[in-house]
Amino acid sequence: MIALLGPEASWYLGVAAFLFATGALGVLLRRNPLIVLLSLEIMLNGGNLALIGFARNLGDGGGQIFALAVMAVAASEVVVGLGLIVALNRKRVTLDVDRLNTLRG
Amino acid sequence: MVWGAWICLLSPLAAACLITLGGQRLSRRGAGYLATAACFVAFGGAVASFIGLLGRDGSQREILSTAWTWITGGSYQSGLSILIDPLSVFMMLIVSGVGALIVWYSVGYMDGDTEERRYFAYMSLFVFSMLLLVQGGNLLLLLAGWGMVGLSSYLLIGFWHERPSAIAAAKKAFVMNAIGDATMALAFFLLIEKANSLDFGILGGQYSSTVANLVALGLLGGAVAKSAQIPLHTWLPDAMEGPTPVSALIHAATMVTAGVYLIVRTHAIFEQAPKIADLAAGLGALTLLLAGLIALVQVDIKRVIAYSTMSQIGYMFLGAGIGSYPNAMFHLMTHAFFKALLFMAAGIVIHALINEQDIRKMGGLRQLSPKTYWGFLIGSLALVGIFPFAGFFSKDSILAAAMAKGTYGYILWAAGLAGTFLTGLYTFRLLFLVFWGEPSAFVREHFHALGRDVIAVSLAVPVGVLAVLSIVGGWIQFSPWWHPVTTWLQTVAEPTVTPESWQEWLSIALSLLLGLSGIGVAWLIYGARRLAVPRLPFAQRTLEHKFYFDEAYDALFYTPAVSLANLLRRGVEQPLIADSGRDLGDDTRDLGGLVARAQTGLLRTYALAIASSVAVLAIVFVVVK
Amino acid sequence: MLVASAGNVLVWAVWLVAAFACLGSGIAVVSFSNPFYSALALIGNLGSLAVLYLLLSAEFVAAAQVLVYAGAVMVMFLFVIAYIGPRSESPWMGGPSWQAVGAALAAGALFIEIVVVIGLKASGHLSHSEHVGAAFGSPAFVGRLFLTDHLLAFELTSIVLLVAAIGGVILGAHSRRNPDEVPSL
C-alpha cells in the first residue's frame, strides 16, 4: 500500500477551485463563442481535478470513473458546440455572443 | 273590526302594486279610479274599525293585532302588528276619508297628464304609508311608515321631474326630513338600550330625566322636521312644486300632521320631559307667528296656503306641547277638512287660469266661478275660526288650555291670539285679491270654465263634501259644553291641562274678535281699497326673504358641504379612486418593463445570472445545512 | 504533512511546476484575444493536468486525458478555429457595464465558496489520505469498476456520445434549401 507523497489532497482541491473560477470568469466575460467553449473546458477540467483528488484521498475508484464520464460528456458537448459555431459561420452571422440576442424581451 | 283595520291598511298598497304591475294595460283614468276605489275601501275599513271600537267599553279599546314576528335580534323582538285604539282609528278615518276625496279630485285634476298612472301609484303608496304610520303597533313600524311617507312626499313633489325647481324642492324636503329621521332613530336606539323594546307601552316606563329628555328631544326633532316647524320648515313652501292635490293631501291634511300625531302617541315620554314639551309648544308658537307674517307678502296662491298650514300646525304643536292632546287632535281633524278644501279650490282656480299661480294676475273670479268662490270662502272662514265654522271650535280650546298652564302658558296664549289676527289678515288678503274686484286682463284673456263632464264632477264633488265638513265638522265638540272627542281620546292620551270655564269663554271671545278684525283690515286694504299697504321696506324685505332662513342654511350647511365635497373629490376621490385604476395599469406596465429589462438577450448576462444564483444558493445551502 | 524525504521533495517540485503551469495556462486561455493561442494554452493546461493526475495515482485517467482531450477534442477545436479564420477581438470589451463587475464578483464568490465548503465539510478527511494499492488507477482497475460497480454510468456515457455524434452530423449538414428561405438569425 502506497501513501500519498507530496502535497495533501487539499492543495489539489485549491488548484481545482482556482481553475473553476477562472473558467467561470472566461465564460462570463468573453465574446467569442470559441473562447467561451474553451473556458467551459477549463471549468470542467477543474471539476475533474477535484474528483480525482478526492478519489485518491478516499481510496475510492468511483471518482476516476466519474472523471472519465465527465470527459466523455465534455467531448460530446464540444462536438455540439462547435457544430453550432460552424453552422453560424456558414450563415454569415457575426461570431459575437453579444450580437446573438434575438431572445431579447 | 280587526279585519277592517287590516283592509284599511292594505287596500291602498294593493292598489299601488296593481297600478305598478298593470303598467300600460291599465288606462290612465282606470288607474285613477282604481286608486280612488282603494282609498274608499280603506275608509270603509276604518269605519268598520270605528264601529267595532264603539261597541266596546272604554278600557277595552286597545287591540294589538300581530301578523307575525318580524325582527328578532337577541332579546329584542318586534312584530308586524297594527294597533287599533281610539287615536289610531281617529287618524285612520281622517287619512282614508280625506285621502279618498283628494284622490278622487286628482282624477279630474291630473286628467291628460302623460304619467297619470305613476301619479296614482305614488298616491296609493302614500296613503298606505300614512296608514302604516298611524296604525303601526310599535315604534318600529311607525318609523317605517314615517320613512315611507317621506319617500312618497319626495316622489310626489318631484313628480314633474322635467322641472329643475321640482327636483330641487323634492331633494330639499327629503334631506330635511332625513335630519328628523336621524334624531328619531337616535331616540329609538336609546329606548332599545334602556327598555329593550319599541312597543308603545315602554314609553310609560320610568327613565332618568336625562334619558327621557334625550328621547323626547329626538322625537321632537323628527316631529319638527316632518311637520315643517321652525327650524326645519324651509322645505314646505318649496314643496308646492308638486301637483295641487299632492299639496292638499300630503302637505296640508296628513303628512305634515304626523308630527303632532307622534307627540300625542308618545306623550308619556313628553310628560316625563316637561322642558322638551315646553320647547315643543314654544316652537309651535314661534312658527305660527313667523309663518303668519311671511304669508302676508306671498304672491303665489299655493304658498300662502302653505304658510297657513305651517301656522296652523304651530297651533297643534302648541296644544300638544302643553298637554292638551285631544284638542290638538281635534284641530288636526278640522284643519284637514278646511285646508284640503282651500287647496282644492285653489287648484280649480289654477286649472281655470292655465296653471297660473301668481295672485297679482288674478282678480274678479267671484263672478266667473261662483261655486269655487263659495268653497274658498267657507274654507277661509273655517280657517280663521269664525262661528259656526269648523275652526272656531277647535282652535279656541287650545288657546284656553294655554291659559291654564301658568306664566309660560300666557305667553303662548298671547302668541296664539296674535296669530289669529294674522290668520284673518292673510287669509282674506288672499281671498280678496283672487276673487274680488274686477277681472284682471290676464283673467279675461285666459279663463275657461269647467264643463259638465266627468272631470268636472270629480273636481267639484270632493270640494263640496269638504265644504260641508268644514261647516259641520266642528260641531262634534264644543269645549265648554260637550266634548265627545276628548272622551274618545281620553283612554289613549289624557290631557294634562283642563282650562276653566272663564278661560274658555275669554279665549273664544278674544279670538273671534281678533279674527274678525283681521278680516276687517284685509277688507280695508285689499277688498275695498280704502287703505294702502303700509310702506315698511325693511319689514317687507325680511318677510319676502322669509326671515332669511334659506340664506342662513345655505351659508351654514350647504356651502361648506359643497366645498367639502369638492375638496374630497379633488383630493381624495380623483387621485385615490379614479386615478388609481389607471395608475394601477400604468404601474403594472412599468413594472413589466422593468422586468423585461432582464431579458437582455445576451448570453453572457444569462450566464452571469446562473453563476450568481449558484453562488447564492451555495451559501443558503451551507447555512441551512 | 511535509514528510521530508527525497521522494517527497521531488513530488513537491513536480507538483509546483505542474500546478503553476496549470494555473498559468488557465489564465492564458481566458485572456488571449486570438482563439488560436487560447486553444494552444488549453492544450498546455490539459498536459499539466495530466501530470497532476499522475501524481494522484490516476494513470489511466491521465492517459485518457492526453489521448482524448488533448489529442482529439483540442484537435477538433483547432480544426474549427482554422476553418473559421482569423479573428481577433478585444477580450474584455462590450456588454452591459455591470457585466464585468458582476462576473468578477460571481467568480470570486464561487471560488471562495468552494474553498469554504470543502474546508467546512471535508477538512477532517483531507488531512490524511488513504493508502491505496499499486493497482489503484490502472486500466484494469478502472475497467473492472466500469463493468461492475458503475456499469450504468458506462452505458449512459456511451449513449451520450452517440447522441452527440448524431447532433454533430445534423448540425454540420449542408442545408438543401435556398438560403434565402431560411429566416436570418
Side-chain angles (χ1 to χ4, degrees), chain B residues 378-416:
Chain B
I378 293 171
S380 306
L381 287 170
L383 174 54
V384 181
I386 308 297
F387 182 86
F389 296 94
F392 168 76
F393 298 95
S394 53
K395 198 193 302 190
D396 304 334
S397 32
I398 295 179
L399 294 175
M403 283 180 85
K405 190 92 170 138
T407 330
Y408 184 58
Y410 271 100
I411 301 175
L412 298 174
W413 179 74

Tab-separated table of all heavy atoms in Angstrom, chain B residues 378-416:
chain	number	residue	atom	x	y	z
B	378	ILE	N	-115.874	79.450	2.423
B	378	ILE	CA	-116.154	78.592	3.574
B	378	ILE	C	-114.844	78.141	4.217
B	378	ILE	O	-114.679	78.179	5.444
B	378	ILE	CB	-116.992	77.375	3.133
B	378	ILE	CG1	-118.385	77.833	2.698
B	378	ILE	CG2	-117.083	76.346	4.243
B	378	ILE	CD1	-119.207	76.764	2.058
B	379	GLY	N	-113.901	77.715	3.367
B	379	GLY	CA	-112.626	77.273	3.909
B	379	GLY	C	-111.927	78.387	4.664
B	379	GLY	O	-111.358	78.169	5.749
B	380	SER	N	-111.967	79.595	4.123
B	380	SER	CA	-111.286	80.707	4.777
B	380	SER	C	-111.907	81.025	6.120
B	380	SER	O	-111.213	81.265	7.106
B	380	SER	CB	-111.325	81.950	3.877
B	380	SER	OG	-110.819	81.637	2.616
B	381	LEU	N	-113.236	81.035	6.154
B	381	LEU	CA	-113.909	81.346	7.417
B	381	LEU	C	-113.614	80.272	8.456
B	381	LEU	O	-113.380	80.574	9.634
B	381	LEU	CB	-115.409	81.453	7.185
B	381	LEU	CG	-115.840	82.720	6.435
B	381	LEU	CD1	-117.308	82.627	6.031
B	381	LEU	CD2	-115.627	83.943	7.319
B	382	ALA	N	-113.558	79.014	7.981
B	382	ALA	CA	-113.219	77.939	8.914
B	382	ALA	C	-111.810	78.113	9.433
B	382	ALA	O	-111.522	77.897	10.610
B	382	ALA	CB	-113.371	76.593	8.220
B	383	LEU	N	-110.928	78.522	8.537
B	383	LEU	CA	-109.533	78.690	8.920
B	383	LEU	C	-109.388	79.789	9.976
B	383	LEU	O	-108.669	79.622	10.970
B	383	LEU	CB	-108.721	79.031	7.675
B	383	LEU	CG	-107.249	79.399	7.842
B	383	LEU	CD1	-106.498	78.340	8.600
B	383	LEU	CD2	-106.612	79.581	6.483
B	384	VAL	N	-110.044	80.881	9.783
B	384	VAL	CA	-109.902	81.990	10.732
B	384	VAL	C	-110.585	81.659	12.052
B	384	VAL	O	-110.229	82.190	13.101
B	384	VAL	CB	-110.461	83.285	10.123
B	384	VAL	CG1	-110.302	84.440	11.079
B	384	VAL	CG2	-109.750	83.584	8.822
B	385	GLY	N	-111.526	80.770	11.989
B	385	GLY	CA	-112.157	80.340	13.233
B	385	GLY	C	-113.392	81.168	13.578
B	385	GLY	O	-113.564	81.599	14.717
B	386	ILE	N	-114.201	81.373	12.599
B	386	ILE	CA	-115.421	82.159	12.812
B	386	ILE	C	-116.566	81.188	13.089
B	386	ILE	O	-116.676	80.160	12.428
B	386	ILE	CB	-115.739	82.984	11.541
B	386	ILE	CG1	-114.496	83.797	11.127
B	386	ILE	CG2	-116.940	83.882	11.756
B	386	ILE	CD1	-114.093	84.813	12.161
B	387	PHE	N	-117.388	81.539	14.051
B	387	PHE	CA	-118.555	80.718	14.331
B	387	PHE	C	-119.482	80.734	13.131
B	387	PHE	O	-119.667	81.776	12.514
B	387	PHE	CB	-119.252	81.271	15.570
B	387	PHE	CG	-120.449	80.481	15.979
B	387	PHE	CD1	-120.316	79.398	16.791
B	387	PHE	CD2	-121.726	80.830	15.506
B	387	PHE	CE1	-121.425	78.664	17.176
B	387	PHE	CE2	-122.838	80.108	15.893
B	387	PHE	CZ	-122.691	79.021	16.732
B	388	PRO	N	-120.170	79.700	12.731
B	388	PRO	CA	-120.138	78.342	13.296
B	388	PRO	C	-119.247	77.376	12.543
B	388	PRO	O	-119.475	76.177	12.547
B	388	PRO	CB	-121.587	77.917	13.131
B	388	PRO	CG	-121.987	78.524	11.823
B	388	PRO	CD	-121.199	79.810	11.687
B	389	PHE	N	-118.205	77.890	11.862
B	389	PHE	CA	-117.401	77.004	11.035
B	389	PHE	C	-116.416	76.202	11.872
B	389	PHE	O	-116.188	76.509	13.032
B	389	PHE	CB	-116.666	77.824	9.973
B	389	PHE	CG	-117.608	78.483	9.013
B	389	PHE	CD1	-118.047	79.783	9.226
B	389	PHE	CD2	-118.087	77.792	7.911
B	389	PHE	CE1	-118.928	80.379	8.343
B	389	PHE	CE2	-118.956	78.406	7.026
B	389	PHE	CZ	-119.385	79.690	7.243
B	390	ALA	N	-115.783	75.237	11.214
B	390	ALA	CA	-115.095	74.193	11.979
B	390	ALA	C	-113.974	74.729	12.853
B	390	ALA	O	-113.854	74.347	14.009
B	390	ALA	CB	-114.551	73.146	11.020
B	391	GLY	N	-113.186	75.640	12.307
B	391	GLY	CA	-112.003	76.066	13.037
B	391	GLY	C	-112.311	76.736	14.361
B	391	GLY	O	-111.523	76.707	15.300
B	392	PHE	N	-113.454	77.347	14.421
B	392	PHE	CA	-113.852	78.047	15.634
B	392	PHE	C	-113.808	77.117	16.827
B	392	PHE	O	-113.270	77.450	17.883
B	392	PHE	CB	-115.255	78.623	15.420
B	392	PHE	CG	-115.915	79.117	16.654
B	392	PHE	CD1	-115.542	80.323	17.221
B	392	PHE	CD2	-116.916	78.377	17.276
B	392	PHE	CE1	-116.154	80.785	18.370
B	392	PHE	CE2	-117.529	78.853	18.416
B	392	PHE	CZ	-117.154	80.054	18.966
B	393	PHE	N	-114.337	75.937	16.669
B	393	PHE	CA	-114.462	75.026	17.802
B	393	PHE	C	-113.126	74.463	18.236
B	393	PHE	O	-112.906	74.221	19.417
B	393	PHE	CB	-115.401	73.876	17.442
B	393	PHE	CG	-116.774	74.348	17.133
B	393	PHE	CD1	-117.174	74.586	15.830
B	393	PHE	CD2	-117.683	74.580	18.154
B	393	PHE	CE1	-118.463	75.032	15.553
B	393	PHE	CE2	-118.964	75.031	17.877
B	393	PHE	CZ	-119.356	75.257	16.575
B	394	SER	N	-112.234	74.264	17.295
B	394	SER	CA	-111.020	73.558	17.661
B	394	SER	C	-109.916	74.498	18.123
B	394	SER	O	-109.213	74.215	19.083
B	394	SER	CB	-110.527	72.733	16.477
B	394	SER	OG	-110.401	73.558	15.329
B	395	LYS	N	-109.813	75.628	17.471
B	395	LYS	CA	-108.650	76.470	17.783
B	395	LYS	C	-108.747	77.090	19.157
B	395	LYS	O	-107.762	77.161	19.899
B	395	LYS	CB	-108.545	77.567	16.722
B	395	LYS	CG	-107.166	78.192	16.720
B	395	LYS	CD	-107.104	79.467	15.922
B	395	LYS	CE	-107.513	79.286	14.477
B	395	LYS	NZ	-107.210	80.506	13.706
B	396	ASP	N	-109.910	77.540	19.514
B	396	ASP	CA	-110.033	78.320	20.751
B	396	ASP	C	-109.771	77.468	21.975
B	396	ASP	O	-109.276	77.972	22.987
B	396	ASP	CB	-111.414	78.951	20.829
B	396	ASP	CG	-111.690	79.798	19.603
B	396	ASP	OD1	-110.693	80.257	19.013
B	396	ASP	OD2	-112.861	79.978	19.254
B	397	SER	N	-110.095	76.201	21.911
B	397	SER	CA	-109.867	75.374	23.096
B	397	SER	C	-108.393	75.194	23.358
B	397	SER	O	-107.961	75.059	24.507
B	397	SER	CB	-110.562	74.025	22.937
B	397	SER	OG	-110.594	73.631	21.609
B	398	ILE	N	-107.601	75.224	22.296
B	398	ILE	CA	-106.145	75.155	22.516
B	398	ILE	C	-105.688	76.406	23.248
B	398	ILE	O	-104.885	76.351	24.190
B	398	ILE	CB	-105.400	75.017	21.167
B	398	ILE	CG1	-105.754	73.691	20.500
B	398	ILE	CG2	-103.905	75.118	21.379
B	398	ILE	CD1	-105.097	73.480	19.181
B	399	LEU	N	-106.186	77.541	22.813
B	399	LEU	CA	-105.784	78.791	23.465
B	399	LEU	C	-106.218	78.798	24.919
B	399	LEU	O	-105.466	79.219	25.803
B	399	LEU	CB	-106.397	79.975	22.721
B	399	LEU	CG	-105.859	80.174	21.302
B	399	LEU	CD1	-106.608	81.276	20.611
B	399	LEU	CD2	-104.390	80.504	21.353
B	400	ALA	N	-107.420	78.302	25.163
B	400	ALA	CA	-107.884	78.267	26.541
B	400	ALA	C	-106.992	77.380	27.385
B	400	ALA	O	-106.644	77.731	28.522
B	400	ALA	CB	-109.323	77.740	26.578
B	401	ALA	N	-106.616	76.231	26.841
B	401	ALA	CA	-105.742	75.339	27.606
B	401	ALA	C	-104.423	76.018	27.902
B	401	ALA	O	-103.823	75.808	28.958
B	401	ALA	CB	-105.533	74.056	26.817
B	402	ALA	N	-103.957	76.847	26.961
B	402	ALA	CA	-102.687	77.541	27.197
B	402	ALA	C	-102.788	78.466	28.400
B	402	ALA	O	-101.837	78.609	29.173
B	402	ALA	CB	-102.296	78.339	25.961
B	403	MET	N	-103.938	79.049	28.557
B	403	MET	CA	-104.100	79.943	29.701
B	403	MET	C	-103.941	79.206	30.994
B	403	MET	O	-103.509	79.769	32.000
B	403	MET	CB	-105.486	80.586	29.666
B	403	MET	CG	-105.629	81.693	28.682
B	403	MET	SD	-107.294	82.330	28.769
B	403	MET	CE	-107.157	83.484	30.079
B	404	ALA	N	-104.301	77.927	30.980
B	404	ALA	CA	-104.288	77.181	32.230
B	404	ALA	C	-102.906	76.690	32.603
B	404	ALA	O	-102.747	75.944	33.555
B	404	ALA	CB	-105.239	75.985	32.114
B	405	LYS	N	-101.903	77.089	31.870
B	405	LYS	CA	-100.591	76.473	32.047
B	405	LYS	C	-99.639	77.330	32.859
B	405	LYS	O	-98.480	77.006	33.004
B	405	LYS	CB	-100.010	76.230	30.640
B	405	LYS	CG	-98.770	75.391	30.619
B	405	LYS	CD	-99.051	73.924	30.440
B	405	LYS	CE	-97.705	73.266	30.186
B	405	LYS	NZ	-97.487	72.039	30.846
B	406	GLY	N	-100.059	78.452	33.314
B	406	GLY	CA	-99.108	79.250	34.088
B	406	GLY	C	-98.536	80.378	33.249
B	406	GLY	O	-99.033	80.702	32.180
B	407	THR	N	-97.454	80.946	33.741
B	407	THR	CA	-96.911	82.152	33.095
B	407	THR	C	-96.478	81.872	31.664
B	407	THR	O	-96.796	82.629	30.750
B	407	THR	CB	-95.677	82.648	33.855
B	407	THR	OG1	-95.823	82.314	35.214
B	407	THR	CG2	-95.509	84.132	33.676
B	408	TYR	N	-95.745	80.800	31.495
B	408	TYR	CA	-95.318	80.460	30.148
B	408	TYR	C	-96.543	80.290	29.259
B	408	TYR	O	-96.550	80.698	28.096
B	408	TYR	CB	-94.476	79.165	30.220
B	408	TYR	CG	-93.885	78.741	28.922
B	408	TYR	CD1	-93.036	79.563	28.209
B	408	TYR	CD2	-94.165	77.485	28.403
B	408	TYR	CE1	-92.481	79.153	27.011
B	408	TYR	CE2	-93.621	77.059	27.214
B	408	TYR	CZ	-92.779	77.902	26.522
B	408	TYR	OH	-92.238	77.485	25.339
B	409	GLY	N	-97.558	79.688	29.812
B	409	GLY	CA	-98.783	79.471	29.055
B	409	GLY	C	-99.391	80.781	28.587
B	409	GLY	O	-99.906	80.878	27.475
B	410	TYR	N	-99.287	81.807	29.409
B	410	TYR	CA	-99.854	83.085	28.992
B	410	TYR	C	-99.113	83.678	27.822
B	410	TYR	O	-99.700	84.295	26.941
B	410	TYR	CB	-99.862	84.067	30.170
B	410	TYR	CG	-101.123	83.951	30.980
B	410	TYR	CD1	-101.137	83.224	32.189
B	410	TYR	CD2	-102.305	84.497	30.537
B	410	TYR	CE1	-102.294	83.097	32.909
B	410	TYR	CE2	-103.475	84.367	31.250
B	410	TYR	CZ	-103.463	83.661	32.440
B	410	TYR	OH	-104.622	83.519	33.154
B	411	ILE	N	-97.807	83.479	27.819
B	411	ILE	CA	-97.032	83.946	26.666
B	411	ILE	C	-97.508	83.235	25.409
B	411	ILE	O	-97.741	83.856	24.358
B	411	ILE	CB	-95.531	83.698	26.881
B	411	ILE	CG1	-95.047	84.414	28.134
B	411	ILE	CG2	-94.742	84.125	25.665
B	411	ILE	CD1	-93.619	84.111	28.475
B	412	LEU	N	-97.687	81.927	25.525
B	412	LEU	CA	-98.155	81.151	24.373
B	412	LEU	C	-99.546	81.613	23.950
B	412	LEU	O	-99.850	81.719	22.761
B	412	LEU	CB	-98.190	79.659	24.720
B	412	LEU	CG	-96.854	79.003	25.085
B	412	LEU	CD1	-97.078	77.577	25.534
B	412	LEU	CD2	-95.910	79.024	23.901
B	413	TRP	N	-100.327	81.894	24.935
B	413	TRP	CA	-101.701	82.331	24.656
B	413	TRP	C	-101.688	83.625	23.856
B	413	TRP	O	-102.413	83.764	22.865
B	413	TRP	CB	-102.417	82.490	25.989
B	413	TRP	CG	-103.821	82.956	25.922
B	413	TRP	CD1	-104.916	82.245	25.534
B	413	TRP	CD2	-104.309	84.244	26.294
B	413	TRP	NE1	-106.056	82.995	25.637
B	413	TRP	CE2	-105.708	84.248	26.117
B	413	TRP	CE3	-103.710	85.416	26.793
B	413	TRP	CZ2	-106.500	85.358	26.399
B	413	TRP	CZ3	-104.507	86.506	27.063
B	413	TRP	CH2	-105.894	86.474	26.865
B	414	ALA	N	-100.851	84.559	24.311
B	414	ALA	CA	-100.763	85.838	23.598
B	414	ALA	C	-100.301	85.606	22.162
B	414	ALA	O	-100.846	86.205	21.218
B	414	ALA	CB	-99.778	86.754	24.324
B	415	ALA	N	-99.306	84.729	21.999
B	415	ALA	CA	-98.836	84.447	20.646
B	415	ALA	C	-99.955	83.877	19.797
B	415	ALA	O	-100.146	84.251	18.634
B	415	ALA	CB	-97.663	83.476	20.710
B	416	GLY	N	-100.708	82.962	20.402
B	416	GLY	CA	-101.798	82.353	19.661
B	416	GLY	C	-102.843	83.368	19.227
B	416	GLY	O	-103.355	83.329	18.102
